[in-house]
Amino acid sequence: MTPTRADALLLLNEYVQNPNLQKHMFAVEAAMRAYATKFEEDVDWWGMVGLLHDFDYERYPDLKDHPYRGSEILRTKGYADDFIETILAHAAHTGKPRDTQAKKAIFAVDELCGLIVAVALVRPNKKLSEVTVESVIKKINQPAFARQVNRDEIRQGAAELNLPLDEHVTIVLTALQNIHQTLGL
């Protein structure tokens, strides 16, 4: 099955009630679409990977279940193995090889999206337009800020994409700024 955004949104709405988790999914979708454009790949397919990468997390937050439960659900709905394997690769604990650009990208953008949103939320106006690449990199180097964000994965993700950290941050920040209304930031 080739997923459509409409199919993905139905699944997202069925499994994700938390509005902040939904916004995270939209953020990762936007970042994946930006990378698909950069690498001249299928923008819609990559976007759907981003949109669905954590759809099972609210129901199955334990690492023994997430993202495995989601992959089972996607499989029963007829999603292709390469789509499912790409989603599995976003979580380092699965041990899935990141042997495609899409797998590298989903791993690279997941934690960074969370950090960028956290940086926006501490701005006086809570606007992504006020966030700069420099301010994000500064916060990457401050482990006390947004402690739950894995900085090693952000750095490793940029390295796997063969990009300098500032370029990686620029791509993802720009993608999120482009959907600021959806994110409410």
Side-chain angles (χ1 to χ4, degrees), residues 119-127 130:
V119 172
L121 289 172
V122 298
R123 295 281 184 235
N125 293 325
K126 297 182 181 357
K127 299 291 182 193
E130 297 175 356

Side-chain angles (χ1 to χ4, degrees), residues 45 70-72 74-76 78-89:
W45 191 91
S71 68
E72 293 166 7
L74 292 173
R75 193 163 278 111
T76 65
Y79 282 72
D81 287 341
D82 61 337
F83 187 89
I84 294 166
E85 289 297 311
T86 303
I87 286 178
L88 286 168

Side-chain angles (χ1 to χ4, degrees), residues 27-58:
V28 175
E29 175 193 23
M32 286 296 287
R33 292 176 73 82
Y35 268 113
T37 299
K38 176 178 178 51
F39 296 131
E40 299 179 354
E41 296 287 349
D42 184 335
V43 173
D44 293 329
W45 191 91
W46 282 45
M48 293 311 98
V49 167
L51 190 59
L52 292 177
H53 80 287
D54 274 347
F55 86 94
D56 66 336
Y57 185 77
E58 191 172 317

Side-chain angles (χ1 to χ4, degrees), residues 98-127:
R98 291 183 293 277
D99 52 4
T100 67
Q101 284 294 83
K103 290 176 183 178
K104 292 173 186 176
I106 190 66
F107 175 77
V109 303
D110 190 19
E111 293 291 310
L112 182 55
C113 285
L115 183 69
I116 290 171
V117 167
V119 172
L121 289 172
V122 298
R123 295 281 184 235
N125 293 325
K126 297 182 181 357
K127 299 291 182 193

